[in-house]
Amino acid sequence: MDKERLAPGLGRLAFFRDADAATLARAEAASRVVRVAAGELVLDFDCPSTEVRVVLRGGPLRVLMRSSGGREKIVAEVGPGAFVGELAAFAGPAVSPSAGIHALHRAVIAVMPGDAFVELILASPPLGRRLIALLAERVRSQNRRLLEYAVLPTRQRLCAELLRLARPRPPEAGGGLAISPPPARPELASRIGARREAVSRELADLVRLGRLRVGPRAIVLLDEAAIRADVEAAMEAAKRLA
């Protein structure tokens, strides 16, 4: 992990626009920039850090939780302009087990002391409102995922995750939605709390039904409407049984 002086520029990131100028200058002066390699461990599990890590370029950074049995679950991924560690900055380090952070690709990140981040947020009302909105959206997303884990079968959990990961394809590529590069089976299993074998089986069934095309470069959602309807139908059925 290579360290260097922090180049000015946090204010150019969307989240930090309209920050109090003097407080932002102090936060930058207290921060450091690090360059991380693909696959590098950015923060080890159970490390009592209160620093906020802002992705300046590259990434994303992947946040993982590890169970007592050693299984890892993907919690979030943050790309350029986003950050991790804001909860620890305000509330202190999480009790064990806490999250670990890996860089999926090369990245340049600013590491800001937690007290500097808190001071910046409190001194900048626009940033405070953005942070509240961001945390609220995370809670909504996590609640949705918890509900999926609790009530949906493996196939519908997989379909819901594929819909979250998919991005529009350009018209010249055929349009629709795709995930490129395609995540490996163990990664998908980690995302939805399932076994790799179950994910492979469900992907094969979805291909057979004509809803997906799985290739070395992309997973293409051939029938987004049917995939989405299947998830919503399963969710409504679970609510009726509750």
Side-chain angles (χ1 to χ4, degrees):
M1 188 179 294
D2 298 326
K3 301 178 183 178
E4 60 188 66
R5 290 186 63 189
L6 178 66
L10 281 180
R12 292 196 293 269
L13 300 178
F15 180 86
F16 294 98
R17 286 178 190 153
D18 307 316
D20 177 78
T23 313
L24 179 62
R26 287 196 298 272
E28 288 193 331
S31 302
R32 67 186 188 277
V33 162
V34 297
R35 297 178 182 271
V36 295
E40 185 172 348
L41 180 66
V42 177
L43 183 68
D44 205 353
F45 291 93
D46 301 330
C47 178
S49 172
T50 59
E51 294 174 317
V52 177
R53 289 162 172 82
V54 184
V55 182
L56 301 176
R57 298 189 297 278
L61 303 183
R62 174 172 289 172
V63 184
L64 299 153
M65 294 291 291
R66 181 180 289 166
S67 71
S68 57
R71 292 185 65 182
E72 293 181 355
K73 183 181 183 305
I74 298 171
V75 176
E77 290 178 356
V78 295
F83 49 82
V84 293
E86 70 286 345
L87 293 182
F90 276 93
V95 296
S96 180
S98 61
I101 305 173
H102 288 79
L104 292 187
H105 304 287
R106 289 184 299 175
V108 179
I109 62 178
V111 182
M112 184 186 302
D115 56 356
F117 181 80
V118 171
E119 181 188 17
L120 181 57
I121 295 298
L122 295 180
S124 312
L127 272 60
R129 288 191 290 271
R130 285 180 199 137
L131 183 60
I132 291 171
L134 175 66
L135 294 177
E137 182 54 37
R138 285 186 187 174
V139 170
R140 289 173 178 167
S141 177
Q142 288 300 320
N143 286 345
R144 170 79 182 194
R145 286 173 181 262
L146 287 172
L147 183 60
E148 290 173 3
Y149 297 151
V151 305
L152 293 185
T154 301
R155 177 176 298 183
Q156 284 71 32
R157 295 204 310 274
L158 175 61
C159 287
E161 189 64 21
L162 293 176
L163 287 166
R164 276 191 287 268
L165 294 173
R167 297 292 181 268
R169 290 198 301 168
E172 59 270 21
L177 298 177
I179 307 165
S180 181
R185 305 298 193 272
E187 178 182 332
L188 285 172
S190 176
R191 286 180 176 276
I192 67 171
R195 295 189 176 277
R196 179 180 58 185
E197 296 80 8
V199 167
S200 295
R201 183 171 58 251
E202 297 299 346
L203 283 174
D205 283 347
L206 289 167
V207 169
R208 180 179 53 80
L209 291 169
R211 296 182 182 177
L212 297 179
R213 182 171 69 243
V214 179
R217 295 186 177 181
I219 296 176
V220 180
L221 280 61
L222 299 174
D223 195 340
E224 176 196 352
I227 294 172
R228 198 175 296 279
D230 191 21
V231 173
E232 295 303 324
M235 189 70 76
E236 289 301 320
K239 290 178 182 178
R240 289 195 296 272
L241 294 174

